[in-house]
Amino acid sequence: DNRGRHGRHIHLLKNRREFIDFYKKILARKKTLNTRNFFFQEFIPADSDMRVLIVGGRILGAIERKSQKRGEFRHNVALGSNAKQIPVTPEMAEIALRSAKVLKYEFAGVDLIQNRDTGKMHLLEVNRSPEFEGFIEATGIDVPGEVMKFLISCLPKSKKTH
């Protein structure tokens, strides 16, 4: 479902008490949530995250997204974060390309985060229908045009007749 889309309905649970309170709210509202599935992951301390955009097995570029709100842990552009173009490191490229390939996504927004304490790069998620307005603004890359070029390249070649 779309509950976590654009960073919305994502919660930071800092301790056992917050988890129990959150779980009680889920139980109280379970008839209105439309799902029994929830995803939990370890919090990774970071000041920003990165999105690598892939079309047809090729990296278009990458942006760094950084929240402008004090104390905000989500860095989604849809929530008001700033985005700037960054170079794609070999580590970012390897993770992004492998992730899209494993999932068989021809178009993907691969979100990465680097732990500020350890320096370790982590895969956050792979979006099969990524938002790219912030990417276009930060990079100037014509994402719809690149997607169209890829789709056209996938069409069967027509035979010329004389």
Side-chain angles (χ1 to χ4, degrees):
D1 71 20
N2 291 328
R3 285 179 298 115
R5 202 164 167 84
H6 307 287
R8 293 181 190 92
H9 304 289
I10 305 297
H11 305 277
L12 177 60
L13 306 175
K14 297 178 184 173
N15 54 48
R16 183 177 174 83
R17 178 83 255 152
E18 287 183 13
F19 175 79
I20 291 169
D21 291 346
F22 179 75
Y23 184 71
K24 286 178 181 177
K25 286 179 189 175
I26 290 170
L27 290 177
R29 295 176 45 209
K30 72 180 181 180
K31 290 183 179 178
T32 62
L33 289 175
N34 253 356
T35 186
R36 287 183 282 167
N37 301 315
F38 293 90
F39 180 73
F40 295 91
Q41 69 186 60
E42 179 182 354
F43 177 72
I44 300 166
D47 298 320
S48 63
D49 68 18
M50 295 147 277
R51 169 161 290 172
V52 179
L53 212 58
I54 296 175
V55 175
R58 183 174 64 90
I59 293 175
L60 291 183
I63 58 172
E64 177 183 50
R65 305 177 302 185
K66 187 171 186 163
S67 176
Q68 299 305 297
K69 297 176 186 172
R70 184 181 173 112
E72 177 58 70
F73 68 98
R74 298 166 297 171
H75 301 288
N76 302 69
V77 172
L79 296 176
S81 292
N82 283 347
K84 69 176 184 177
Q85 186 171 18
I86 57 171
V88 179
T89 67
E91 181 181 24
M92 290 167 63
E94 180 183 350
I95 294 170
L97 289 169
R98 185 181 298 175
S99 299
K101 184 176 182 179
V102 164
L103 294 169
K104 298 180 180 170
Y105 289 176
E106 295 291 352
F107 180 48
V110 181
D111 294 346
L112 305 168
I113 194 165
Q114 189 167 21
N115 186 311
R116 91 164 75 92
D117 299 332
T118 66
K120 184 176 178 184
M121 187 75 66
H122 297 270
L123 172 67
L124 279 177
E125 65 177 318
V126 183
N127 298 277
R128 67 178 174 194
S129 179
E131 290 292 321
F132 49 81
E133 286 181 34
F135 184 91
I136 292 171
E137 287 178 26
T139 65
I141 295 171
D142 177 13
V143 176
E146 293 296 325
V147 171
M148 289 306 296
K149 284 183 208 174
F150 170 69
L151 293 174
I152 290 168
S153 77
C154 293
L155 294 173
K157 306 292 184 223
S158 62
K159 295 180 181 178
K160 292 183 180 181
T161 56
H162 293 294

